């Protein structure tokens, strides 16, 4: 069997010098941190009580022991990388690394899906690499207030049955699987393509009563299946780890939604623009998928605060467009359109 290309060789072939060379180095640093986190995740309870709540994150969510450790491992891993500043979901604000002239800044969700630790369900580390702004101070939030279109690279490391890095440096989205035999990441899927159409959606349906009319109408249309206006049956999945949902969608299509809702603190949904929305949107964009707030492309949103949440809808491009058509002004037109005529299964 032909040897698979390693992550090192892929990055080496892409760039060795300049800003891109710095990105390559940073990706390798994140990959090393991912190797350690993968080992820890695999140990589970053997490594201690990883789901014990040890603190509180910036938005009041309980911080688990594994959230705390993965945050340290990512920051430690980035010590050798040309990074001036790190923003983490687990830190109150951006952290200067002391390398003020380094060309890059990294935003990270060290552990996505932390409610799944005890359940032995897939979790992940999400990252976004941005250029350092020349005129902002070392630990300035301004570095992270660039829209997602400015990302130089993004992706995640997923800890499931396999550990894999899914990466884009703006030249397609690729999967590098960590080989347990030699601990190297190897290119196992190049140029991912998300099918434009799908029959599978992912949403936390327990929040139905909190959603606005547009999201309810869209989900109703999926639930109505062949009997509804869209004449199409849907399947549903919800893992509770966005990385796992994103991975499934990259592999076989689908749509993921975490919209804003009426619960306190959820007006803009649950997911963070800088650590979750932007990297996933970059991957989707590179794989022919789409990512939107419901009103606009995620990658075009100008961040205004470091832990900003964002309503997030991503996945198969045609289905994302349908979901979008149920939002805002589009909602009214979608409802009027005979194409989306509906029977109102759950309408209150
Ligand atoms: P995190 O563990 O980083 O806080 O992110 C969890 C996110 C995301 O992974 C997942 O899709 C969603 O929160 C789950 O939300 P519910 O608890 O509402 O299901
Ligand atoms: Mn997360
Ligand atoms: Mn997290």
């Amino acid at each position: 069997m032909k040897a698979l290309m390693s992550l090192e060789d892929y990055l080496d072939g892409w760039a060795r010098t300049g800003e891109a060379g710095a990105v390559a180095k940073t990706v390798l640093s994140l990959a090393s941190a991912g190797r350690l986190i993968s080992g820890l995740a695999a140990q589970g309870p053997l490594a201690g009580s990883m789901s014990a709540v040890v603190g509180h994150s910036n938005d009041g969510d309980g911080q688990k022991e594994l959230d705390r450790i993965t945050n340290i491992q990512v920051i430690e891993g980035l010590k050798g990388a040309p990074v001036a500043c790190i923003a983490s979901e687990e830190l109150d604000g951006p952290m200067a690394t002391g390398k003020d002239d380094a060309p890059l800044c990294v935003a990270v969700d060290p552990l996505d899906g932390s409610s799944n630790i005890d359940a032995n369900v897939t979790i992940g580390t999400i990252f976004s690499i941005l250029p350092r702004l020349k005129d902002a101070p070392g630990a300035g939030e301004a570095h992270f207030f660039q829209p997602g279109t400015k990302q130089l690279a993004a992706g995640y490391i997923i800890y499931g049955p396999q550990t894999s890095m899914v990466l884009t440096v703006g030249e397609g989205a690729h999967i590098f699987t960590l080989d347990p035999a030699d601990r190297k990441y190897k290119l196992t899927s190049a140029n991912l393509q998300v099918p434009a159409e799908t029959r599978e959606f992912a949403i936390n349906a327990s929040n139905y009563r909190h959603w606005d009319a547009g999201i309810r109408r869209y989900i109703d249309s999926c639930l109505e299946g062949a009997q509804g206006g869209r004449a199409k049956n849907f399947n549903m999945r919800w893992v509770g780890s966005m990385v796992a949902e994103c991975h499934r969608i990259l592999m076989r299509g689908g749509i993921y939604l975490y919209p804003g809702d009426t619960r306190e603190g959820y007006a803009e949904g649950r997911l963070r623009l800088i650590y979750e929305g932007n990297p996933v949107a970059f991957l989707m964009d590179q794989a022919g998928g789409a990512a939107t707030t419901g009103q606009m492309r995620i990658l075009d949103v100008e961040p205004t605060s470091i832990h900003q949440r964002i309503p997030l809808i991503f996945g198969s491009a045609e289905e994302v467009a349908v979901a979008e058509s149920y939002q805002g002004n589009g909602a009214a037109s979608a409802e009027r359109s005979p194409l989306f005529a509906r029977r109102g299964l759950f309408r209150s």
Side-chain angles (χ1 to χ4, degrees):
M1 197 177 110
K2 201 171 157 255
L4 299 171
M5 183 187 284
S6 69
L7 177 63
E8 283 82 353
D9 288 347
Y10 169 79
L11 290 168
D12 227 31
W14 173 63
R16 292 185 186 185
T17 56
E19 186 181 65
V23 169
K25 247 188 181 167
T26 303
V27 169
L28 290 176
S29 299
L30 290 163
S32 293
R35 231 180 246 121
L36 295 177
I37 296 170
S38 168
L40 200 59
Q43 275 186 291
L46 298 171
S49 184
M50 290 296 147
S51 63
V53 176
V54 293
H56 288 282
S57 67
N58 46 77
D59 62 3
D61 267 12
Q63 187 190 46
K64 311 242 168 63
E65 176 67 355
L66 197 57
D67 285 317
R68 191 186 69 78
I69 297 179
T70 53
N71 186 49
I72 294 170
Q73 283 178 335
V74 171
I75 292 169
E76 283 293 309
L78 287 171
K79 278 207 167 132
V83 170
C85 189
I86 301 169
S88 165
E89 195 189 82
E90 301 301 330
L91 296 174
D92 289 337
M95 191 192 98
T97 60
K99 287 174 272 183
D100 286 356
D101 295 333
L104 306 176
C105 294
V106 174
V108 64
D109 176 358
L111 187 67
D112 181 65
S114 55
S115 68
N116 282 324
I117 299 168
D118 275 346
N120 195 9
V121 168
T122 298
I123 48 183
T125 300
I126 311 174
F127 58 89
S128 162
I129 303 178
L130 288 158
R132 176 178 63 83
L133 295 180
K134 305 290 174 273
D135 49 1
E141 292 188 336
H143 300 296
F144 299 98
F145 293 171
Q146 307 180 63
T149 48
K150 300 284 186 201
Q151 292 173 103
L152 300 170
Y156 57 83
I157 305 158
I158 185 167
Y159 316 108
Q162 307 125 40
T163 291
S164 300
M165 174 182 273
V166 183
L167 172 70
T168 182
V169 293
E171 295 187 0
H174 317 294
I175 303 182
F176 298 87
T177 306
L178 182 64
D179 188 338
D182 59 9
R183 308 293 288 159
K184 279 180 179 288
Y185 291 87
K186 296 173 184 173
L187 180 63
T188 45
S189 297
N191 294 310
L192 300 172
Q193 284 299 320
V194 178
E197 274 190 75
T198 184
R199 291 173 178 268
E200 200 160 69
F201 68 91
I203 193 165
N204 185 341
S206 70
N207 295 322
Y208 186 91
R209 69 190 183 284
H210 304 298
W211 299 333
D212 66 23
I215 293 290
R216 286 192 198 195
R217 280 195 293 263
Y218 169 66
I219 295 299
D220 287 351
S221 81
C222 299
L223 296 176
E224 286 161 10
Q227 281 73 38
R230 297 184 62 198
K232 187 172 172 182
N233 287 325
F234 277 79
N235 186 21
M236 197 199 87
R237 286 287 182 272
W238 186 251
V239 182
S241 284
M242 190 193 61
V243 279
E245 320 273 7
C246 181
H247 206 73
R248 184 186 63 250
I249 289 171
L250 283 168
M251 298 309 289
R252 69 177 192 216
I255 183 169
Y256 173 99
L257 305 94
Y258 213 120
D261 65 50
T262 56
R263 285 174 297 162
E264 200 184 335
Y266 281 78
E268 302 299 318
R270 174 175 170 80
L271 299 167
R272 293 79 167 175
L273 172 59
I274 293 172
Y275 318 110
E276 292 162 320
N278 274 338
V280 163
F282 194 9
L283 287 172
M284 286 294 143
D285 194 61
Q286 290 289 314
T292 175
T293 65
Q295 313 288 341
M296 69 183 286
R297 205 170 155 240
I298 291 286
L299 291 175
D300 290 332
V301 177
E302 302 263 354
T304 51
S305 73
I306 198 79
H307 296 299
Q308 180 175 351
R309 294 180 180 216
I310 195 87
L312 181 59
I313 302 175
F314 67 83
S316 294
E318 285 180 20
E319 194 58 30
V320 169
V322 172
E324 236 175 353
S325 75
Y326 282 78
Q327 305 299 299
N329 296 332
S333 57
E335 202 172 35
R336 281 197 303 270
S337 161
L339 183 65
F340 299 116
R342 54 181 301 287
R343 290 188 306 149
L345 273 183
F346 295 100
R347 209 146 180 210
S348 50

